[in-house]
């Protein structure tokens, strides 16, 4: 079936939750995707942060094709050789103690909120409150959605689980005023991805951690988008010098297959007892083998240095473009999690990027977000910048004409 046939069939059969880009992807290699017409696209979308090693990474594909392993699923009632070593590796990298494996980021958030409340109730039956931050995005299941800020995501599904209060972004006074003995957890994204690649203020984050220590609450860092090498360090919280009680990871962990994890401090993790929480597919043999390979690659001596160097070059190129073109209001982000906020809507610019063979997306209506494979090179950045320059010059001219008219 070709693109038109697939698009028509999806239109009739799929629940209408997604707006697709107008091409049919049939192959991928490195930083490139290919459509059914053989056209090549340079991928700065990166599967929304999942494809950290690009497409068809040879070492990931070798694990998938390894004929010596036949285990796909055994259930969490049976040991297999890969889950414990993966938990050990993740715990060491994060500086935490225990791991619970799940399938998706939103499932990890659900589990973390349950764990925080279970831990809180051990101290006091009233310690159930959750503090989240304005502009946050933690997921689309009911508990995670309750801690997600934009009303457009929450409103259609209310009533949501109660007990969540939102703190004004980077407002230390507001944070202190709302911290009380009934707070079970504060959950933050050090860099808010869906919120437009917004870095939270360091003083705000450190104050949040201190208040959690002072009140016996759990400090949760949601690293689902900004973690696992994306910013040039293993975790974004490490760049700020934070010590969370719970860390959440997902997107790139299993090299493209679904796998998420809750990493927790020993004392907090012990609040879960057998039967209190579970999952069917989380931590399966194949996903864990892939994740072990992903972490091995991530920890090679030059890998994160490459992310920092190319990320820095990329950000500087965006800043140079901002000097040329006032339509770019602000450039934000760390490593290879970057964004350009525009003074105009971004969706049409995304479409023009696709036509030029360049993939990226738009969030917050006017923010172009870039989450490329971490293996991109400077030459790929240069190609993107040239396409963006061409599109934004055209947009700027149209805007000027519109203003004059």
């Amino acid at each position: 079936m070709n693109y038109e046939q697939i698009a028509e069939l999806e239109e009739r059969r799929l629940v209408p939750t997604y707006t697709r880009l107008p091409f049919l992807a049939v192959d991928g290699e490195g930083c490139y995707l290919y459509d059914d017409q053989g056209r090549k696209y340079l991928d700065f979308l990166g599967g929304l942060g999942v494809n950290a090693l690009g497409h068809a990474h040879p070492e990931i594909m070798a694990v998938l094709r390894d004929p010596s392993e036949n285990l796909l699923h055994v259930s969490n009632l049976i040991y297999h050789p890969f889950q414990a070593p993966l938990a050990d590796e993740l715990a060491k990298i994060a500086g935490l103690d225990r791991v619970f494996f799940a399938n998706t980021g939103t499932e990890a958030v659900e589990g973390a909120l349950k764990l925080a409340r279970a831990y809180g109730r051990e101290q006091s039956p009233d310690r159930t409150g959750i503090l989240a931050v304005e502009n946050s995005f933690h997921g689309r299941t009911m508990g995670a959605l309750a801690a997600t800020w934009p009303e457009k995501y929450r409103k259609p599904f209310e009533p949501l689980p109660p007990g969540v209060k939102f703190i004004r972004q980077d407002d230390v006074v507001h944070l202190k005023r709302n911290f009380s003995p009934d707070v079970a957890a504060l959950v933050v994204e050090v860099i808010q991805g869906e919120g437009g690649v917004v870095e939270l203020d360091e003083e705000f984050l450190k104050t949040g951690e201190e208040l959690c220590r002072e009140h016996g609450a759990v400090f949760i860092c949601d690293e689902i988008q900004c973690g696992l090498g994306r910013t040039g360090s293993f975790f974004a919280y490490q760049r700020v010098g934070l010590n969370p009680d719970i860390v959440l990871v997902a997107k790139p962990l299993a090299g493209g297959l679904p796998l998420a994890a809750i990493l927790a401090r020993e004392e907090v993790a012990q609040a879960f007892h057998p039967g209190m929480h579970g999952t069917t597919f989380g931590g399966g043999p194949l996903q864990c083998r892939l994740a072990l390979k992903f972490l091995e690659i991530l920890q090679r001596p030059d890998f994160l240095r490459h992310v920092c160097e190319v990320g820095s070059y990329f950000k500087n190129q965006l800043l140079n473009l901002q000097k040329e073109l006032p339509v770019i209001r602000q450039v934000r982000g760390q490593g290879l999690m970057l964004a350009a906020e525009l003074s105009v809507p971004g969706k049409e610019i995304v479409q023009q990027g696709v036509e030029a063979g360049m993939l990226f997306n738009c969030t917050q209506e006017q923010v172009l977000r870039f989450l490329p494979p971490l293996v991109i090179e400077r030459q790929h950045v240069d190609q993107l910048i040239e396409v963006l320059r061409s599109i934004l010059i055209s947009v700027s001219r149209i805007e000027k004409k519109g203003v004059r008219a």
Side-chain angles (χ1 to χ4, degrees), residues 190-212:
V190 174
I191 303 179
Q192 297 177 325
E194 181 69 16
V197 189
V198 176
E199 297 175 67
L200 293 188
D201 179 71
E202 188 172 326
E203 182 190 357
F204 178 81
L205 290 166
K206 289 188 172 176
T207 302
E209 182 185 331
E210 289 167 8
L211 288 166
C212 285

Side-chain angles (χ1 to χ4, degrees), residues 79-110:
Y79 290 106
H80 67 72
F82 310 108
Q83 191 173 124
L86 177 59
D88 187 47
E89 199 67 23
L90 283 169
K92 287 177 183 172
I93 293 170
L96 291 167
D97 303 301
R98 290 186 181 269
V99 178
F100 177 88
F101 288 108
N103 300 287
T104 66
T106 196
E107 189 188 339
V109 173
E110 295 285 336

Side-chain angles (χ1 to χ4, degrees), residues 304-323:
L304 292 180
R305 188 170 65 191
H306 172 82
V307 175
C308 290
E309 288 176 354
V310 177
S312 177
Y313 178 76
F314 188 2
K315 190 170 185 176
N316 284 333
Q317 295 303 97
L318 287 172
L319 288 167
N320 289 337
L321 200 57
Q322 183 190 18
K323 291 174 186 170

Side-chain angles (χ1 to χ4, degrees), residues 54-374:
H55 301 278
H57 189 282
E59 294 181 67
I60 294 293
M61 299 308 288
V63 173
L64 281 169
R65 292 166 178 156
D66 183 355
S68 68
E69 293 292 345
N70 295 314
L71 291 178
L72 289 180
H73 181 77
V74 295
S75 89
N76 280 309
L77 299 180
I78 297 173
Y79 290 106
H80 67 72
F82 310 108
Q83 191 173 124
L86 177 59
D88 187 47
E89 199 67 23
L90 283 169
K92 287 177 183 172
I93 293 170
L96 291 167
D97 303 301
R98 290 186 181 269
V99 178
F100 177 88
F101 288 108
N103 300 287
T104 66
T106 196
E107 189 188 339
V109 173
E110 295 285 336
L113 297 180
K114 286 176 68 179
L115 181 58
R117 281 192 169 170
Y119 177 70
R121 281 183 178 276
E122 287 183 348
Q123 303 165 69
S124 165
D126 298 324
R127 191 184 289 275
T128 59
I130 304 294
L131 298 183
V133 182
E134 290 185 357
N135 199 42
S136 62
F137 181 90
H138 295 293
R140 298 178 189 271
T141 51
M142 295 299 262
L145 195 57
T148 289
W149 166 250
E151 197 174 61
K152 67 177 182 180
Y153 295 127
R154 290 183 287 117
K155 195 71 178 175
F157 308 105
E158 292 177 344
L160 296 171
V164 178
K165 188 178 289 184
F166 290 100
I167 304 299
R168 288 197 289 267
Q169 195 179 78
D170 294 338
D171 189 334
V172 172
V173 174
H174 194 236
L175 176 61
K176 288 180 176 176
R177 190 185 304 148
N178 282 279
F179 230 103
S180 62
D182 66 356
V183 172
L186 167 65
V187 55
V188 302
E189 300 161 277
V190 174
I191 303 179
Q192 297 177 325
E194 181 69 16
V197 189
V198 176
E199 297 175 67
L200 293 188
D201 179 71
E202 188 172 326
E203 182 190 357
F204 178 81
L205 290 166
K206 289 188 172 176
T207 302
E209 182 185 331
E210 289 167 8
L211 288 166
C212 285
R213 300 280 173 268
E214 182 182 332
H215 290 271
V218 174
F219 184 46
I220 303 172
C221 283
D222 177 345
E223 294 262 341
I224 290 164
Q225 188 170 126
C226 61
L228 295 176
R230 174 57 59 184
T231 64
S233 57
F234 282 109
F235 297 106
Y237 72 81
Q238 293 170 332
R239 301 176 71 93
V240 190
L242 300 173
N243 294 289
D245 302 297
I246 294 177
V247 174
L248 309 176
V249 294
K251 289 179 178 293
L253 180 56
L257 290 191
L259 182 64
I262 303 168
L263 321 177
R265 187 162 55 81
E266 178 73 34
E267 182 185 357
V268 176
Q270 291 298 336
F272 269 170
H273 308 297
M276 285 180 70
H277 192 58
T279 184
T280 296
F281 296 104
L286 179 59
Q287 293 96 317
C288 288
R289 288 182 65 213
L290 289 165
L292 283 165
K293 175 56 69 177
F294 172 71
L295 291 182
E296 178 199 320
I297 294 170
L298 196 63
Q299 292 180 86
R300 288 175 186 168
D302 293 335
F303 192 93
L304 292 180
R305 188 170 65 191
H306 172 82
V307 175
C308 290
E309 288 176 354
V310 177
S312 177
Y313 178 76
F314 188 2
K315 190 170 185 176
N316 284 333
Q317 295 303 97
L318 287 172
L319 288 167
N320 289 337
L321 200 57
Q322 183 190 18
K323 291 174 186 170
E324 288 180 44
L325 301 169
V327 70
I328 300 178
R329 280 179 174 162
Q330 190 178 33
V331 173
R332 298 192 289 260
Q334 295 284 339
L336 288 171
M337 182 180 185
L338 297 172
E341 182 173 340
L342 308 177
S343 60
V344 297
K347 284 187 179 177
E348 178 59 29
I349 293 167
V350 170
Q351 295 296 325
Q352 291 182 49
V354 174
E355 291 167 13
M358 203 67 61
L359 303 180
F360 49 88
N361 85 321
C362 173
T363 184
Q364 299 291 304
E365 306 297 334
Q366 296 185 181
V367 179
L368 302 182
R369 180 174 52 176
F370 309 103
L371 299 169
L374 304 182

